[in-house]
Amino acid sequence: QKEVEQNSGPLSVPEGAIASLNCTYSDRVSQSFFWYRQYSGKSPELIMSIYSNGDKEDGRFTAQLNKASQYVSLLIRDSQPSDSATYLCAVDFRSLGRLYFGRGTQLTVWP
Amino acid sequence: EPEVTQTPSHQVTQMGQEVILRCVPISNHLYFYWYRQILGQKVEFLVSFYNNEISEKSEIFDDQFSVERPDGSNFTLKIRSTKLEDSAMYFCASPKRDNPTYEQYFGPGTRLTVT
């Protein structure tokens, strides 16, 4: 059974803080991992992809992958109220394009 | 970000009716995907389509669903006899490069309401 687990939250942080979002997945041999942001009533918007162990940085976002622990995280530095959304972790277990999504973590950044 | 478009944005239909949802993926791409999201639930994979054939389908994608490429650029998802539980957001997605290992970009979605 392929599972992607996320803390549903809600996670609430003040403006300017670091928000940390976590995700675990069930299959150790998984290769491709993605973070999406979804505003209420909108479609998922790609934030980052990560394929190798370690950190990947893009602006205020850093994705971290630890395949041995089957864990992927997203850090948002200098959080802004506009970052308030649901963050979805997605895993392509077999690198064939089929994405398995977690339930998402709702983030609120308060001014 | 490459653009994926979908029509209509909202479709209301009666139970038992057929609906057709349309998607225009990233230009010239042969891979595309359909997902759905029931309100308050996770995004779920329905089907992947490559070069005019289904490459994978989930257990959700039963006989009432079908996908087609009626012309060179448009793709459709047809639900033959809608049920109340088909009410959801339906998203199509296209990979960044025409290869299933790349990041997928989602269209804006079609909200299907079955009454």
Side-chain angles (χ1 to χ4, degrees), chain B residues 16-40:
Chain B
Q17 296 297 304
E18 175 183 284
V19 294
I20 297 176
L21 311 181
R22 292 180 171 81
C23 170
V24 181
I26 297 172
S27 180
N28 299 321
H29 280 195
L30 299 178
Y31 284 97
F32 86 106
Y33 311 89
W34 282 101
Y35 295 84
R36 79 170 185 190
Q37 186 177 31
I38 295 171
L39 184 64

PDB file of all heavy atoms in Angstrom, chain B residues 16-40:
ATOM      1  N   GLY B  16     -27.010  10.550 -13.266  1.00  0.00           N
ATOM      2  CA  GLY B  16     -27.335   9.710 -14.405  1.00  0.00           C
ATOM      3  C   GLY B  16     -26.983  10.317 -15.747  1.00  0.00           C
ATOM      4  O   GLY B  16     -26.983   9.608 -16.767  1.00  0.00           O
ATOM      5  N   GLN B  17     -26.704  11.607 -15.769  1.00  0.00           N
ATOM      6  CA  GLN B  17     -26.342  12.267 -17.019  1.00  0.00           C
ATOM      7  C   GLN B  17     -24.864  12.069 -17.338  1.00  0.00           C
ATOM      8  O   GLN B  17     -24.046  11.791 -16.466  1.00  0.00           O
ATOM      9  CB  GLN B  17     -26.657  13.763 -16.936  1.00  0.00           C
ATOM     10  CG  GLN B  17     -28.135  14.083 -16.779  1.00  0.00           C
ATOM     11  CD  GLN B  17     -28.946  13.614 -17.966  1.00  0.00           C
ATOM     12  OE1 GLN B  17     -28.681  13.977 -19.106  1.00  0.00           O
ATOM     13  NE2 GLN B  17     -29.946  12.767 -17.708  1.00  0.00           N
ATOM     14  N   GLU B  18     -24.531  12.254 -18.592  1.00  0.00           N
ATOM     15  CA  GLU B  18     -23.148  12.179 -19.044  1.00  0.00           C
ATOM     16  C   GLU B  18     -22.520  13.563 -19.018  1.00  0.00           C
ATOM     17  O   GLU B  18     -23.184  14.553 -19.349  1.00  0.00           O
ATOM     18  CB  GLU B  18     -23.104  11.625 -20.466  1.00  0.00           C
ATOM     19  CG  GLU B  18     -21.712  11.607 -21.097  1.00  0.00           C
ATOM     20  CD  GLU B  18     -21.755  11.118 -22.534  1.00  0.00           C
ATOM     21  OE1 GLU B  18     -21.893   9.892 -22.738  1.00  0.00           O
ATOM     22  OE2 GLU B  18     -21.650  11.962 -23.455  1.00  0.00           O
ATOM     23  N   VAL B  19     -21.253  13.633 -18.609  1.00  0.00           N
ATOM     24  CA  VAL B  19     -20.534  14.901 -18.670  1.00  0.00           C
ATOM     25  C   VAL B  19     -19.203  14.678 -19.374  1.00  0.00           C
ATOM     26  O   VAL B  19     -18.622  13.586 -19.323  1.00  0.00           O
ATOM     27  CB  VAL B  19     -20.282  15.508 -17.273  1.00  0.00           C
ATOM     28  CG1 VAL B  19     -21.578  15.903 -16.611  1.00  0.00           C
ATOM     29  CG2 VAL B  19     -19.467  14.573 -16.404  1.00  0.00           C
ATOM     30  N   ILE B  20     -18.753  15.722 -20.029  1.00  0.00           N
ATOM     31  CA  ILE B  20     -17.446  15.710 -20.689  1.00  0.00           C
ATOM     32  C   ILE B  20     -16.650  16.904 -20.188  1.00  0.00           C
ATOM     33  O   ILE B  20     -17.080  18.046 -20.314  1.00  0.00           O
ATOM     34  CB  ILE B  20     -17.589  15.762 -22.221  1.00  0.00           C
ATOM     35  CG1 ILE B  20     -18.325  14.522 -22.727  1.00  0.00           C
ATOM     36  CG2 ILE B  20     -16.210  15.857 -22.869  1.00  0.00           C
ATOM     37  CD1 ILE B  20     -18.596  14.536 -24.223  1.00  0.00           C
ATOM     38  N   LEU B  21     -15.512  16.609 -19.624  1.00  0.00           N
ATOM     39  CA  LEU B  21     -14.616  17.651 -19.138  1.00  0.00           C
ATOM     40  C   LEU B  21     -13.445  17.745 -20.107  1.00  0.00           C
ATOM     41  O   LEU B  21     -12.929  16.716 -20.559  1.00  0.00           O
ATOM     42  CB  LEU B  21     -14.117  17.305 -17.729  1.00  0.00           C
ATOM     43  CG  LEU B  21     -15.190  16.893 -16.718  1.00  0.00           C
ATOM     44  CD1 LEU B  21     -14.558  16.613 -15.363  1.00  0.00           C
ATOM     45  CD2 LEU B  21     -16.271  17.926 -16.612  1.00  0.00           C
ATOM     46  N   ARG B  22     -13.014  18.970 -20.385  1.00  0.00           N
ATOM     47  CA  ARG B  22     -11.998  19.168 -21.404  1.00  0.00           C
ATOM     48  C   ARG B  22     -10.724  19.781 -20.838  1.00  0.00           C
ATOM     49  O   ARG B  22     -10.754  20.583 -19.902  1.00  0.00           O
ATOM     50  CB  ARG B  22     -12.552  20.056 -22.520  1.00  0.00           C
ATOM     51  CG  ARG B  22     -13.648  19.383 -23.324  1.00  0.00           C
ATOM     52  CD  ARG B  22     -14.190  20.260 -24.436  1.00  0.00           C
ATOM     53  NE  ARG B  22     -15.083  19.500 -25.305  1.00  0.00           N
ATOM     54  CZ  ARG B  22     -16.349  19.232 -25.039  1.00  0.00           C
ATOM     55  NH1 ARG B  22     -16.890  19.658 -23.909  1.00  0.00           N
ATOM     56  NH2 ARG B  22     -17.082  18.536 -25.893  1.00  0.00           N
ATOM     57  N   CYS B  23      -9.625  19.422 -21.465  1.00  0.00           N
ATOM     58  CA  CYS B  23      -8.315  19.893 -21.018  1.00  0.00           C
ATOM     59  C   CYS B  23      -7.436  20.147 -22.236  1.00  0.00           C
ATOM     60  O   CYS B  23      -7.454  19.370 -23.202  1.00  0.00           O
ATOM     61  CB  CYS B  23      -7.669  18.833 -20.129  1.00  0.00           C
ATOM     62  SG  CYS B  23      -5.941  19.128 -19.720  1.00  0.00           S
ATOM     63  N   VAL B  24      -6.695  21.215 -22.187  1.00  0.00           N
ATOM     64  CA  VAL B  24      -5.646  21.458 -23.174  1.00  0.00           C
ATOM     65  C   VAL B  24      -4.330  21.466 -22.421  1.00  0.00           C
ATOM     66  O   VAL B  24      -4.044  22.405 -21.674  1.00  0.00           O
ATOM     67  CB  VAL B  24      -5.846  22.792 -23.923  1.00  0.00           C
ATOM     68  CG1 VAL B  24      -4.730  22.985 -24.949  1.00  0.00           C
ATOM     69  CG2 VAL B  24      -7.193  22.821 -24.611  1.00  0.00           C
ATOM     70  N   PRO B  25      -3.520  20.400 -22.538  1.00  0.00           N
ATOM     71  CA  PRO B  25      -2.260  20.333 -21.804  1.00  0.00           C
ATOM     72  C   PRO B  25      -1.185  21.208 -22.446  1.00  0.00           C
ATOM     73  O   PRO B  25      -1.453  21.906 -23.428  1.00  0.00           O
ATOM     74  CB  PRO B  25      -1.899  18.851 -21.886  1.00  0.00           C
ATOM     75  CG  PRO B  25      -2.523  18.393 -23.165  1.00  0.00           C
ATOM     76  CD  PRO B  25      -3.770  19.220 -23.351  1.00  0.00           C
ATOM     77  N   ILE B  26      -0.003  21.155 -21.884  1.00  0.00           N
ATOM     78  CA  ILE B  26       1.114  21.906 -22.448  1.00  0.00           C
ATOM     79  C   ILE B  26       1.304  21.485 -23.903  1.00  0.00           C
ATOM     80  O   ILE B  26       1.262  20.303 -24.234  1.00  0.00           O
ATOM     81  CB  ILE B  26       2.398  21.661 -21.630  1.00  0.00           C
ATOM     82  CG1 ILE B  26       2.194  22.178 -20.202  1.00  0.00           C
ATOM     83  CG2 ILE B  26       3.601  22.319 -22.274  1.00  0.00           C
ATOM     84  CD1 ILE B  26       3.316  21.827 -19.263  1.00  0.00           C
ATOM     85  N   SER B  27       1.544  22.468 -24.725  1.00  0.00           N
ATOM     86  CA  SER B  27       1.573  22.266 -26.163  1.00  0.00           C
ATOM     87  C   SER B  27       2.524  21.157 -26.593  1.00  0.00           C
ATOM     88  O   SER B  27       3.661  21.087 -26.131  1.00  0.00           O
ATOM     89  CB  SER B  27       1.986  23.581 -26.839  1.00  0.00           C
ATOM     90  OG  SER B  27       2.027  23.436 -28.220  1.00  0.00           O
ATOM     91  N   ASN B  28       2.030  20.279 -27.433  1.00  0.00           N
ATOM     92  CA  ASN B  28       2.795  19.199 -28.055  1.00  0.00           C
ATOM     93  C   ASN B  28       3.190  18.080 -27.101  1.00  0.00           C
ATOM     94  O   ASN B  28       3.920  17.175 -27.496  1.00  0.00           O
ATOM     95  CB  ASN B  28       4.053  19.736 -28.739  1.00  0.00           C
ATOM     96  CG  ASN B  28       3.727  20.719 -29.837  1.00  0.00           C
ATOM     97  OD1 ASN B  28       2.757  20.527 -30.565  1.00  0.00           O
ATOM     98  ND2 ASN B  28       4.505  21.769 -29.941  1.00  0.00           N
ATOM     99  N   HIS B  29       2.714  18.140 -25.857  1.00  0.00           N
ATOM    100  CA  HIS B  29       3.043  17.060 -24.938  1.00  0.00           C
ATOM    101  C   HIS B  29       2.134  15.865 -25.189  1.00  0.00           C
ATOM    102  O   HIS B  29       0.944  16.015 -25.472  1.00  0.00           O
ATOM    103  CB  HIS B  29       2.907  17.519 -23.490  1.00  0.00           C
ATOM    104  CG  HIS B  29       4.072  18.303 -23.025  1.00  0.00           C
ATOM    105  ND1 HIS B  29       4.315  18.554 -21.690  1.00  0.00           N
ATOM    106  CD2 HIS B  29       5.090  18.899 -23.681  1.00  0.00           C
ATOM    107  CE1 HIS B  29       5.422  19.255 -21.564  1.00  0.00           C
ATOM    108  NE2 HIS B  29       5.906  19.476 -22.758  1.00  0.00           N
ATOM    109  N   LEU B  30       2.708  14.684 -25.065  1.00  0.00           N
ATOM    110  CA  LEU B  30       1.950  13.466 -25.280  1.00  0.00           C
ATOM    111  C   LEU B  30       1.473  12.834 -23.978  1.00  0.00           C
ATOM    112  O   LEU B  30       0.603  11.980 -23.990  1.00  0.00           O
ATOM    113  CB  LEU B  30       2.800  12.450 -26.056  1.00  0.00           C
ATOM    114  CG  LEU B  30       3.259  12.898 -27.445  1.00  0.00           C
ATOM    115  CD1 LEU B  30       4.127  11.815 -28.073  1.00  0.00           C
ATOM    116  CD2 LEU B  30       2.065  13.206 -28.334  1.00  0.00           C
ATOM    117  N   TYR B  31       2.113  13.230 -22.856  1.00  0.00           N
ATOM    118  CA  TYR B  31       1.692  12.710 -21.554  1.00  0.00           C
ATOM    119  C   TYR B  31       0.699  13.677 -20.937  1.00  0.00           C
ATOM    120  O   TYR B  31       0.894  14.901 -21.002  1.00  0.00           O
ATOM    121  CB  TYR B  31       2.888  12.616 -20.595  1.00  0.00           C
ATOM    122  CG  TYR B  31       3.798  11.459 -20.850  1.00  0.00           C
ATOM    123  CD1 TYR B  31       4.960  11.617 -21.590  1.00  0.00           C
ATOM    124  CD2 TYR B  31       3.527  10.211 -20.309  1.00  0.00           C
ATOM    125  CE1 TYR B  31       5.806  10.550 -21.814  1.00  0.00           C
ATOM    126  CE2 TYR B  31       4.371   9.137 -20.531  1.00  0.00           C
ATOM    127  CZ  TYR B  31       5.512   9.326 -21.283  1.00  0.00           C
ATOM    128  OH  TYR B  31       6.358   8.275 -21.500  1.00  0.00           O
ATOM    129  N   PHE B  32      -0.344  13.148 -20.314  1.00  0.00           N
ATOM    130  CA  PHE B  32      -1.137  13.974 -19.427  1.00  0.00           C
ATOM    131  C   PHE B  32      -1.880  13.081 -18.443  1.00  0.00           C
ATOM    132  O   PHE B  32      -1.919  11.853 -18.611  1.00  0.00           O
ATOM    133  CB  PHE B  32      -2.058  14.916 -20.186  1.00  0.00           C
ATOM    134  CG  PHE B  32      -3.371  14.324 -20.572  1.00  0.00           C
ATOM    135  CD1 PHE B  32      -4.522  14.690 -19.900  1.00  0.00           C
ATOM    136  CD2 PHE B  32      -3.461  13.410 -21.602  1.00  0.00           C
ATOM    137  CE1 PHE B  32      -5.740  14.162 -20.256  1.00  0.00           C
ATOM    138  CE2 PHE B  32      -4.680  12.869 -21.957  1.00  0.00           C
ATOM    139  CZ  PHE B  32      -5.822  13.256 -21.277  1.00  0.00           C
ATOM    140  N   TYR B  33      -2.412  13.720 -17.420  1.00  0.00           N
ATOM    141  CA  TYR B  33      -2.992  13.000 -16.291  1.00  0.00           C
ATOM    142  C   TYR B  33      -4.297  13.660 -15.874  1.00  0.00           C
ATOM    143  O   TYR B  33      -4.470  14.873 -16.014  1.00  0.00           O
ATOM    144  CB  TYR B  33      -2.025  13.024 -15.084  1.00  0.00           C
ATOM    145  CG  TYR B  33      -0.621  12.633 -15.445  1.00  0.00           C
ATOM    146  CD1 TYR B  33       0.293  13.586 -15.870  1.00  0.00           C
ATOM    147  CD2 TYR B  33      -0.215  11.311 -15.376  1.00  0.00           C
ATOM    148  CE1 TYR B  33       1.576  13.237 -16.232  1.00  0.00           C
ATOM    149  CE2 TYR B  33       1.076  10.949 -15.733  1.00  0.00           C
ATOM    150  CZ  TYR B  33       1.960  11.916 -16.160  1.00  0.00           C
ATOM    151  OH  TYR B  33       3.226  11.561 -16.525  1.00  0.00           O
ATOM    152  N   TRP B  34      -5.194  12.853 -15.338  1.00  0.00           N
ATOM    153  CA  TRP B  34      -6.406  13.365 -14.694  1.00  0.00           C
ATOM    154  C   TRP B  34      -6.371  12.973 -13.221  1.00  0.00           C
ATOM    155  O   TRP B  34      -6.062  11.816 -12.870  1.00  0.00           O
ATOM    156  CB  TRP B  34      -7.665  12.793 -15.335  1.00  0.00           C
ATOM    157  CG  TRP B  34      -8.046  13.424 -16.636  1.00  0.00           C
ATOM    158  CD1 TRP B  34      -7.829  12.920 -17.887  1.00  0.00           C
ATOM    159  CD2 TRP B  34      -8.739  14.665 -16.823  1.00  0.00           C
ATOM    160  NE1 TRP B  34      -8.335  13.763 -18.832  1.00  0.00           N
ATOM    161  CE2 TRP B  34      -8.905  14.844 -18.209  1.00  0.00           C
ATOM    162  CE3 TRP B  34      -9.244  15.638 -15.959  1.00  0.00           C
ATOM    163  CZ2 TRP B  34      -9.538  15.965 -18.755  1.00  0.00           C
ATOM    164  CZ3 TRP B  34      -9.871  16.743 -16.498  1.00  0.00           C
ATOM    165  CH2 TRP B  34     -10.015  16.893 -17.882  1.00  0.00           C
ATOM    166  N   TYR B  35      -6.724  13.947 -12.381  1.00  0.00           N
ATOM    167  CA  TYR B  35      -6.861  13.740 -10.950  1.00  0.00           C
ATOM    168  C   TYR B  35      -8.209  14.293 -10.515  1.00  0.00           C
ATOM    169  O   TYR B  35      -8.811  15.121 -11.212  1.00  0.00           O
ATOM    170  CB  TYR B  35      -5.761  14.484 -10.169  1.00  0.00           C
ATOM    171  CG  TYR B  35      -4.364  14.001 -10.403  1.00  0.00           C
ATOM    172  CD1 TYR B  35      -3.625  14.452 -11.497  1.00  0.00           C
ATOM    173  CD2 TYR B  35      -3.761  13.104  -9.532  1.00  0.00           C
ATOM    174  CE1 TYR B  35      -2.326  14.010 -11.713  1.00  0.00           C
ATOM    175  CE2 TYR B  35      -2.461  12.659  -9.732  1.00  0.00           C
ATOM    176  CZ  TYR B  35      -1.761  13.119 -10.820  1.00  0.00           C
ATOM    177  OH  TYR B  35      -0.470  12.677 -11.018  1.00  0.00           O
ATOM    178  N   ARG B  36      -8.661  13.870  -9.359  1.00  0.00           N
ATOM    179  CA  ARG B  36      -9.850  14.496  -8.803  1.00  0.00           C
ATOM    180  C   ARG B  36      -9.628  14.756  -7.308  1.00  0.00           C
ATOM    181  O   ARG B  36      -8.768  14.137  -6.665  1.00  0.00           O
ATOM    182  CB  ARG B  36     -11.089  13.616  -8.994  1.00  0.00           C
ATOM    183  CG  ARG B  36     -11.212  12.480  -7.999  1.00  0.00           C
ATOM    184  CD  ARG B  36     -12.540  11.794  -8.070  1.00  0.00           C
ATOM    185  NE  ARG B  36     -12.650  10.792  -7.003  1.00  0.00           N
ATOM    186  CZ  ARG B  36     -13.611   9.897  -6.925  1.00  0.00           C
ATOM    187  NH1 ARG B  36     -14.583   9.871  -7.839  1.00  0.00           N
ATOM    188  NH2 ARG B  36     -13.637   9.037  -5.932  1.00  0.00           N
ATOM    189  N   GLN B  37     -10.411  15.689  -6.778  1.00  0.00           N
ATOM    190  CA  GLN B  37     -10.332  16.020  -5.366  1.00  0.00           C
ATOM    191  C   GLN B  37     -11.741  16.266  -4.853  1.00  0.00           C
ATOM    192  O   GLN B  37     -12.362  17.291  -5.193  1.00  0.00           O
ATOM    193  CB  GLN B  37      -9.444  17.248  -5.124  1.00  0.00           C
ATOM    194  CG  GLN B  37      -9.204  17.553  -3.658  1.00  0.00           C
ATOM    195  CD  GLN B  37      -8.259  18.728  -3.466  1.00  0.00           C
ATOM    196  OE1 GLN B  37      -8.205  19.644  -4.282  1.00  0.00           O
ATOM    197  NE2 GLN B  37      -7.492  18.714  -2.381  1.00  0.00           N
ATOM    198  N   ILE B  38     -12.234  15.332  -4.087  1.00  0.00           N
ATOM    199  CA  ILE B  38     -13.507  15.526  -3.414  1.00  0.00           C
ATOM    200  C   ILE B  38     -13.303  16.560  -2.314  1.00  0.00           C
ATOM    201  O   ILE B  38     -12.238  16.593  -1.678  1.00  0.00           O
ATOM    202  CB  ILE B  38     -14.027  14.189  -2.849  1.00  0.00           C
ATOM    203  CG1 ILE B  38     -14.321  13.229  -4.005  1.00  0.00           C
ATOM    204  CG2 ILE B  38     -15.256  14.383  -1.986  1.00  0.00           C
ATOM    205  CD1 ILE B  38     -14.639  11.815  -3.581  1.00  0.00           C
ATOM    206  N   LEU B  39     -14.292  17.390  -2.096  1.00  0.00           N
ATOM    207  CA  LEU B  39     -14.172  18.484  -1.143  1.00  0.00           C
ATOM    208  C   LEU B  39     -13.675  18.001   0.215  1.00  0.00           C
ATOM    209  O   LEU B  39     -14.253  17.086   0.808  1.00  0.00           O
ATOM    210  CB  LEU B  39     -15.529  19.180  -0.989  1.00  0.00           C
ATOM    211  CG  LEU B  39     -15.555  20.411  -0.098  1.00  0.00           C
ATOM    212  CD1 LEU B  39     -14.697  21.511  -0.702  1.00  0.00           C
ATOM    213  CD2 LEU B  39     -16.982  20.907   0.100  1.00  0.00           C
ATOM    214  N   GLY B  40     -12.573  18.594   0.661  1.00  0.00           N
ATOM    215  CA  GLY B  40     -12.029  18.261   1.975  1.00  0.00           C
ATOM    216  C   GLY B  40     -11.144  17.033   2.010  1.00  0.00           C
ATOM    217  O   GLY B  40     -10.635  16.670   3.067  1.00  0.00           O
TER     218      GLY B  40
END
